[in-house]
Amino acid sequence: MFSQFGHRFCIYAVALCLTLLPVLQSANAAIVATDAAIEIADRQQQIDRIDDVLARDNVRSLLVDLGVDPADASARVRALTDAELATLDSQLAELPAGGVGFVELVGIVAIVLIVLELLGVTNVFSKI
Amino acid sequence: MQRQWHNAVMAVAVCIIASGCAGISGGVTAGLEDVDDTIELTEVPFFPQVTDQCGPAALATILNASGVGADPEALKSRIYIPGREGSLQLELLAATRAYDRLAYSIDPDLQALVAELRAGRPVLVLQNLGIGLAPVWHYAVVVGYLPEDRRFVLRSGDQRRYLIDARRFVRTWHRAENWGVVALRPDELPAQPDPQRYLRSVAALESVGATSAARSGYRAAVEQWPLNGLAWLGLGNASYAEGDLDIARLAYQAMLDLEPGNLIALNNIAQVKAEQGCIREARDAIDQAFSILAPGDPMHQHLRQTRREIEARPLADTRACRVAL
């Protein structure tokens, strides 16, 4: 009897969580919007904070490690907004870096076509 | 048994390939049906790409089209990362701002892309020429669309006028999440302006110290969206940063009229009035803010700071303030 009650309680709790989830998320979204407005309003504080942000040092050294000239790296870090810095700080390695040359491009397309040819044509059509 | 398994894998592969193709022949080029006239921005300059530096070449293309004389060599030191053999989107945006241009990300669809071309602006796009698992990232600049051939015209790599089949372009663009950006003069609005995104671009310009350019951007924003409080706030802040306190106060007042009881507006009005020597009015504004402040509001600390600063000033209003009244 008691365990049945416990079981039911669990179901209700999970259902409640699922119902509340969108509410909580939208509440967070509203808070972000206000924060954004405050950040814009609070320019002086932003300027004061710029040199203190740890992310700046971190991103700078990440760039230098990747072969960027140290002097350039400082200027580049200064050109980023705080939000951009935070993104680079946490995701620099995963973000796409566009840089393929046109010659490579033609080569890659050729390889893809050859692979498709090998996989798709010879195997698929002979077996089915 | 092994053969059966092999067949099953192949069947799945065929399904994936077939469904991919089906998706592509479907509405992938949606947004292009209504385009029946040729659009090509022939005046857009071309900077042939050196080795793996499509980022600097593409960025130089849109900046020059926007009237900024920046060459790829100068941009290389701002956006190229040797260890990644390429450039990051974020740094492209940052470098655009460094030349007092707004970096505006367009809506991720073909309609927005064509709208920018029609407005005479080339669009810098990211493409994934590979596949999801083995991406090959490439920046190019779209300068035209030829509806008869169903082809886009790109400045790409070492090709001044690279014609690419529309569906092929769409697929490569889609694999890069349809990312496209235009460089706008600070007083210029995009073809399909989204207020929030536009203001964010202007605020980014402002936050790296380009207050004069940002002020032009906010002025354009209040003309376009006179009922947007954030646009007035931005105009107020940029004017304040430029030392134009009268305009700043009027802009904050406009925001407060639109959003009565807005704490940011009240705080900034109090600050400006105090600096103008109108201490009584400044106190009134900050008192009003405290009277409506909810417990736990994130503005609490900020308002307290402002009140401390105002209370530290002598209560006597200056003559200039009395004249203003």
Side-chain angles (χ1 to χ4, degrees):
Chain A
M1 179 70 188
F2 187 73
S3 81
Q4 198 183 359
F5 171 77
H7 186 70
R8 219 175 245 188
F9 179 77
C10 271
I11 290 171
Y12 286 147
V14 170
L16 185 68
C17 284
L18 289 176
T19 322
L20 279 180
L21 197 62
V23 179
L24 292 174
Q25 277 172 347
S26 65
N28 277 338
I31 285 166
V32 170
T34 318
D35 278 356
I38 290 167
E39 269 181 29
I40 294 167
D42 192 5
R43 252 191 56 67
Q44 192 54 48
Q45 206 174 7
Q46 263 189 34
I47 292 170
D48 293 342
R49 211 170 47 202
I50 278 176
D51 291 331
D52 302 336
V53 176
L54 282 174
R56 243 159 249 271
D57 281 344
N58 208 15
V59 172
R60 186 185 172 279
S61 60
L62 284 171
L63 288 174
V64 172
D65 288 347
L66 288 168
V68 174
D69 183 81
D72 289 340
S74 301
R76 282 163 70 159
V77 163
R78 275 199 304 276
L80 296 164
T81 66
D82 287 352
E84 288 168 344
L85 263 175
T87 307
L88 282 198
D89 194 17
S90 56
Q91 302 170 30
L92 194 139
E94 296 95 58
L95 289 174
V100 68
F102 200 77
V103 178
E104 290 166 273
L105 189 163
V106 173
I108 289 159
V109 170
I111 292 169
V112 169
L113 286 180
I114 290 167
V115 170
L116 282 179
E117 193 85 358
L118 287 174
L119 268 182
V121 180
T122 52
N123 275 335
V124 174
F125 288 147
S126 62
K127 301 271 183 200
I128 294 175
Chain B
M1 184 67 193
Q2 198 181 358
R3 192 194 161 95
Q4 243 176 350
W5 185 82
H6 190 226
N7 278 349
V9 170
M10 280 307 151
V12 170
V14 170
C15 280
I16 290 170
I17 293 168
S19 66
C21 292
I24 286 152
S25 60
V28 164
T29 51
L32 292 179
E33 306 87 359
D34 303 337
V35 185
D36 44 18
D37 54 326
T38 297
I39 315 165
E40 186 168 356
L41 310 173
T42 52
E43 305 287 303
V44 172
F46 172 58
F47 297 91
Q49 160 183 347
V50 185
T51 59
D52 50 1
Q53 288 153 31
C54 57
L59 185 58
T61 306
I62 62 163
L63 283 176
N64 277 269
S66 174
V68 175
D71 65 277
E73 195 51 38
L75 290 170
K76 187 184 157 193
S77 63
R78 289 183 183 274
I79 60 174
Y80 183 68
I81 301 179
R84 292 291 308 275
E85 296 180 328
S87 303
L88 302 174
Q89 290 151 285
L90 283 184
E91 288 212 288
L92 258 66
L93 302 181
T96 305
R97 293 194 299 262
Y99 288 92
D100 277 0
R101 287 296 179 272
L102 282 175
Y104 182 81
S105 299
I106 63 167
D107 286 333
D109 56 49
L110 289 171
Q111 208 188 354
L113 180 72
V114 170
E116 288 301 331
L117 294 176
R118 279 198 196 287
R121 276 184 294 269
V123 183
L124 195 166
V125 291
L126 180 66
Q127 295 171 279
N128 179 358
L129 305 170
I131 53 168
L133 284 174
V136 179
W137 306 106
H138 178 66
Y139 292 112
V141 178
V142 184
V143 296
Y145 177 64
L146 315 175
E148 281 186 16
D149 306 341
R150 295 184 69 77
R151 285 179 177 188
F152 279 98
V153 189
L154 269 57
R155 303 267 185 273
S156 179
D158 61 358
Q159 305 278 307
R160 183 189 174 90
R161 191 166 181 271
Y162 179 54
L163 297 177
I164 179 170
D165 176 73
R167 283 182 306 170
R168 177 166 299 178
F169 168 76
V170 166
R171 268 176 269 162
T172 61
W173 193 39
H174 182 68
R175 285 197 290 268
E177 297 179 352
N178 289 7
W179 189 82
V181 69
V182 288
L184 302 168
R185 290 190 312 274
D187 58 352
E188 193 179 15
L189 287 165
Q192 299 178 339
D194 171 80
Q196 213 62 20
R197 209 177 326 143
Y198 182 79
L199 287 170
R200 221 171 261 282
S201 309
V202 182
L205 198 56
E206 186 189 356
S207 76
V208 294
T211 45
S212 172
R215 199 178 178 190
S216 305
Y218 288 127
R219 204 175 294 131
V222 297
E223 277 172 25
Q224 178 75 12
W225 304 287
L227 301 182
N228 187 311
L230 211 54
W232 285 104
L233 175 69
L235 179 62
N237 286 343
S239 304
Y240 176 81
E242 298 256 284
D244 197 342
L245 297 187
D246 284 329
I247 299 290
R249 199 191 51 196
L250 289 172
Y252 294 140
Q253 189 61 52
M255 183 197 196
L256 189 63
D257 291 344
L258 288 168
E259 300 172 24
N262 183 296
L263 295 174
I264 299 172
L266 283 170
N267 176 78
N268 292 8
I269 286 173
Q271 178 68 32
V272 171
K273 286 195 169 167
E275 286 183 36
Q276 287 186 316
C278 309
I279 309 301
R280 280 175 210 279
E281 286 184 58
R283 283 192 181 185
D284 287 348
I286 208 77
D287 287 347
Q288 192 189 339
F290 271 99
S291 71
I292 52 181
L293 182 67
D297 192 296
M299 277 296 288
H300 193 273
Q301 195 186 354
H302 201 92
L303 288 168
R304 248 197 348 228
Q305 172 77 17
T306 307
R307 185 162 67 180
R308 259 202 303 275
E309 283 174 25
I310 292 170
E311 282 172 352
R313 292 169 187 259
L315 188 58
D317 282 354
T318 62
R319 190 162 167 270
C321 178
R322 285 197 293 273
V323 169
L325 284 172

